[in-house]
Amino acid sequence: MRSRGRIDLLAVVCDACWNRLANDMAMSDGATALPRPEPGPDDVSFVEPPTCPECHADVRVYPTVYDRWISLAVLELPAKDVPPAYRWRLVPIVGPHSPVVTDTVAVRVRGIDPLPGERVVPAHRMLCRAEEAGRPSVEQTLDP
């Protein structure tokens, strides 16, 4: 047994329990993106920014604190414009013995709601035109 995720947890769990917990959290949060490929040490080719496979819009792909990946929008919006299920923050992780930022993780905004004007990063699912096309319109949901 060992610690899991990108931050220290209060408990140490086995691999099977951790994967079940992390996968359940990822499904409820919508963190289903694939991690970005790591370039090799000798790779000097240009790396294209990631895009959504559905709508081809630019996205930012970040790891979550539970080692799953989420596609986030490239812009920040006021919290009042983003439904609670899509609100994320980017949190820098500093080294254990240094003030240097070593990683950035996406953390879902929960518990205490942000102020209406506070900036949050929406999940790309909220803005995805392809997903929007698959959703029923307001008129369709109100029509019996």
Side-chain angles (χ1 to χ4, degrees):
M1 292 190 192
R2 60 188 168 88
S3 182
R4 302 285 191 270
R6 294 183 180 265
I7 59 172
D8 291 331
L9 301 175
L10 297 176
V12 178
V13 294
C14 67
D15 287 337
C17 294
W18 170 254
N19 284 327
R20 188 172 35 253
L21 173 67
N23 289 339
D24 289 346
M25 289 174 64
M27 290 306 293
S28 71
D29 290 345
T32 57
L34 295 174
R36 295 196 61 187
E38 289 288 327
D42 297 329
D43 189 6
V44 293
S45 62
F46 180 73
V47 177
E48 291 288 330
T51 59
C52 173
E54 302 294 324
C55 70
H56 306 291
D58 289 340
V59 295
R60 295 188 290 177
V61 179
Y62 282 99
T64 63
V65 292
Y66 45 88
D67 271 341
R68 299 306 185 260
W69 295 76
I70 181 77
S71 293
L72 299 176
V74 294
L75 68 154
E76 292 184 356
L77 295 173
K80 66 180 180 176
D81 296 337
V82 180
Y86 299 104
R87 294 177 185 161
W88 291 80
R89 282 201 178 96
L90 296 176
V91 178
I93 304 293
V94 295
H97 306 290
S98 163
V100 176
V101 174
T102 58
D103 201 0
T104 301
V105 295
V107 177
R108 177 90 187 282
V109 177
R110 301 176 193 220
I112 299 173
D113 287 335
L115 296 172
E118 195 174 337
R119 310 293 278 182
V120 295
V121 181
H124 174 70
R125 290 185 309 145
M126 183 187 112
L127 304 172
C128 186
R129 291 183 297 276
E131 270 198 34
E132 202 172 272
R135 285 187 219 136
S137 67
V138 175
E139 294 82 21
Q140 290 172 335
T141 56
L142 296 178
D143 234 2

